[in-house]
Amino acid sequence: MFRFSSLPYTGSPAGAGGLGVRFASIRRTGVHVLVFAPSSESSSALTAELRHRAETHGARFTLLVPAGSGPAAEAEASRVTERLRAAGLPVQGKAGCDDPIAAVHEAWNPRVYDEILISSAPQGSTRWLHTGLPRRVERLTGALVRHVPAGDRVADWRLAA
């Protein structure tokens, strides 16, 4: 039978010999955004939005490029990431599978990311938007999902419905 202790919590796990971590002192700073970018070209609207979020909210980003797997896909993600880093943005990049839902599902971790930005390509790849990608991603993850259309500022996809 489990019994609750009447002793006050000291922030150190029992049996750790006083070497435990003070859990209240572990805090994340800023916002971490998962950015889904189906295009190998980062749009000026996406760059402007990421810069705005980094400057005003201290945001950092993980860029998810649906390029498949293997060395060519990693090179593609690295190329786009380097372009954004050259613009002064705190961004990491990784390749995901070609299917956008599967790519986000594999990458999403609510303990790591605070929200998801979906960037549409300057031309093409809007078929994902026509199939309701932002809504589907929101249902899958339970996260706040925003869409950055090429040429526009960030949009909350729910306002367009």
Side-chain angles (χ1 to χ4, degrees):
M1 178 175 179
F2 181 77
R3 293 184 185 198
F4 291 99
S5 171
S6 61
L7 298 174
Y9 176 70
T10 62
S12 182
L19 299 176
V21 176
R22 295 227 26 122
F23 297 109
S25 66
I26 299 174
R27 297 179 199 264
R28 291 190 304 167
T29 57
V31 176
H32 195 171
V33 181
L34 178 63
V35 180
F36 179 79
S39 172
S40 61
E41 300 295 324
S42 59
S43 72
S44 59
L46 176 62
T47 304
E49 182 59 33
L50 297 183
R51 182 175 288 119
H52 171 74
R53 286 169 177 252
E55 291 171 355
T56 59
H57 304 294
R60 60 194 195 285
F61 311 98
T62 297
L63 183 71
L64 177 61
V65 179
S69 60
E74 290 299 328
E76 176 79 10
S78 181
R79 191 166 30 105
V80 178
T81 301
E82 287 306 317
R83 260 190 237 125
L84 292 171
R85 283 186 187 151
L89 295 167
V91 62
Q92 297 176 323
K94 63 181 175 181
C97 70
D98 292 330
D99 179 275
I101 294 294
V104 171
H105 184 271
E106 290 172 3
W108 176 250
N109 181 345
R111 292 181 179 179
V112 175
Y113 304 110
D114 299 297
E115 66 178 290
I116 300 170
L117 275 179
I118 297 176
S119 172
S120 59
Q123 68 277 79
S125 103
T126 56
R127 72 177 193 274
W128 289 338
L129 296 177
H130 291 301
T131 62
L133 180 63
R135 185 178 309 260
R136 291 170 60 202
V137 167
E138 185 179 58
R139 273 188 268 151
L140 174 72
T141 63
L144 173 63
V145 176
R146 296 188 187 269
H147 171 227
V148 180
D152 288 338
R153 295 288 291 173
V154 68
D156 189 332
W157 64 268
R158 292 168 289 218
L159 299 178

